[in-house]
Amino acid sequence: MPSERLQKIIAAAGIASRRAAEKLITGGAVSVNGQIVTELGSKADLERDHIRVNGKLLHGPERHIYLLMNKPKGYVTTVHDPEGRPTVMDLLRGIRTRVYPVGRLDYASEGLLLLTNDGELAQGLMKASSHVPKTYVVKVAGTPDESGLEKLRRGLVISEGRLGGRSSQQRGLERRTGEDARSPKISINRKRGQRVKTAPAKVRLIRESENPWYEVTLIEGKNRQIRRMFEEIGHHVEKIKRVRYGPLNLDVPPGEFRRLSGGEVEKLKTAATRSERVPKRPAKS
């Protein structure tokens, strides 16, 4: 077997995504033939070399599994939460193979979430997060005017920095009520980060009311993007549910999951590969 980059070998073994594998390497958690390796360009041959991660010997690629989950509100999209909140991993009953979430849905959001131990595909989808379409249904407070919606459709400038930090009291309120502690209903100072322009989005009204629902399709995945986009035009987002991810549709009840079929996996891989070939927008001078 020809030598391959260590992060690719680790990702293929299902230990972590390629990005997380890079952190393991630079953090000194990986050794090859007894020698700690911290350089990301390092290569190895799994058939010839003894590769250990956190002292555990790799035994070759693991059988890949692919899961589609309907994430409920009130769960964190991570393997472990230092604050002790419920994570999506708590919902994986009967799955013994270690898997990882692909991308994130925030604590107050719900809907379609992918989990897999295929680090190669996970990395490809996250790289392609600027292009693989993801569709959400979104409830907002008040009715945006048409000019505001057109700004969303054309792309608008938002802050990419983190919203203001939460106190323990605010986190407790979030857990008890389900209200996002970063919403305008709770007084928090916002930290203005780098200002970036969003890609054009598809936005259409799907339910008229005092607090209407919209279907929003993005071809990128900036942090808390939909909430920031609507806040930029003066409207707080009350609910978000992701209902489509590339070729996949949400079709399981909240808190449940299912395995993807072989055909669905191939379509997902095709979507990621096609997206990687889409040229990026030129940067503004």
Side-chain angles (χ1 to χ4, degrees), residues 77-136:
T77 307
T78 187
V79 174
H80 172 72
D81 180 52
E83 296 181 22
R85 294 172 294 180
T87 79
V88 292
M89 311 308 289
D90 298 329
L91 300 170
L92 293 179
R93 298 172 296 277
I95 300 297
R96 300 190 180 211
T97 304
R98 179 182 260 182
V99 295
Y100 303 88
V102 178
R104 289 181 181 273
L105 285 173
D106 66 35
Y107 183 85
S109 299
E110 53 192 300
L112 196 160
L113 179 69
L114 297 174
L115 302 102
T116 184
N117 59 349
D118 185 343
E120 194 77 19
L121 177 60
Q123 180 72 6
L125 287 169
M126 287 189 283
K127 274 187 177 178
S129 62
S130 306
H131 306 296
V132 176
K134 292 173 283 291
T135 300
Y136 305 78

Side-chain angles (χ1 to χ4, degrees), residues 3-251:
S3 294
E4 294 183 308
R5 290 180 181 270
L6 276 173
Q7 57 264 45
K8 183 176 181 180
I9 294 173
I10 294 169
I15 301 297
S17 69
R18 191 178 294 195
R19 185 176 299 174
E22 291 174 352
K23 292 181 180 179
L24 288 170
I25 294 168
T26 57
V30 179
S31 67
V32 178
N33 300 325
Q35 299 294 317
I36 299 294
V37 176
T38 58
E39 188 176 339
L40 290 179
S42 302
K43 294 185 177 182
D45 182 341
L46 190 56
E47 292 183 355
R48 185 186 66 224
D49 298 316
H50 292 270
I51 304 169
R52 293 181 181 271
V53 178
N54 289 322
K56 184 178 179 181
L57 184 66
L58 293 192
H59 294 289
E62 190 170 36
R63 183 182 177 190
H64 290 151
I65 65 172
Y66 307 87
L67 306 175
L68 182 156
M69 173 186 287
N70 186 345
K71 174 197 170 298
K73 187 176 180 179
Y75 284 79
V76 184
T77 307
T78 187
V79 174
H80 172 72
D81 180 52
E83 296 181 22
R85 294 172 294 180
T87 79
V88 292
M89 311 308 289
D90 298 329
L91 300 170
L92 293 179
R93 298 172 296 277
I95 300 297
R96 300 190 180 211
T97 304
R98 179 182 260 182
V99 295
Y100 303 88
V102 178
R104 289 181 181 273
L105 285 173
D106 66 35
Y107 183 85
S109 299
E110 53 192 300
L112 196 160
L113 179 69
L114 297 174
L115 302 102
T116 184
N117 59 349
D118 185 343
E120 194 77 19
L121 177 60
Q123 180 72 6
L125 287 169
M126 287 189 283
K127 274 187 177 178
S129 62
S130 306
H131 306 296
V132 176
K134 292 173 283 291
T135 300
Y136 305 78
V137 290
V138 181
K139 181 182 181 182
V140 301
T143 303
D145 59 30
E146 192 57 33
S147 65
L149 294 177
E150 277 304 310
K151 289 179 182 178
L152 303 184
R153 294 182 180 114
R154 292 195 305 266
L156 77 171
V157 177
I158 62 173
S159 172
E160 200 174 37
R162 291 184 61 185
L163 296 179
R166 295 166 296 165
S167 67
S168 60
Q169 182 179 11
Q170 289 163 333
R171 287 194 293 269
L173 177 61
E174 180 180 279
R175 288 194 289 270
R176 290 193 301 274
T177 67
E179 176 60 56
D180 186 354
R182 297 181 179 91
S183 82
K185 295 180 182 178
I186 299 175
S187 178
I188 300 176
N189 291 327
R190 284 172 167 70
K191 296 179 181 178
R192 305 298 287 183
Q194 180 183 0
R195 302 282 288 174
V196 294
K197 185 169 183 179
T198 63
K202 294 180 180 178
V203 182
R204 71 180 184 92
L205 179 68
I206 56 175
R207 188 187 304 171
E208 289 190 50
S209 68
E210 289 185 3
N211 299 314
W213 288 81
Y214 293 89
E215 181 184 84
V216 180
T217 300
L218 304 179
I219 55 170
E220 58 187 351
K222 301 183 190 304
N223 181 37
R224 298 172 61 81
Q225 179 172 343
I226 290 177
R227 296 185 190 278
R228 294 175 189 277
M229 287 168 61
F230 277 95
E231 283 179 4
E232 200 68 36
I233 63 170
H235 291 269
H236 167 62
V237 169
E238 296 189 342
K239 293 184 180 180
I240 297 179
K241 177 186 282 190
R242 184 157 64 196
V243 295
R244 284 193 292 279
Y245 190 123
L248 304 176
N249 293 301
L250 182 63
D251 58 3

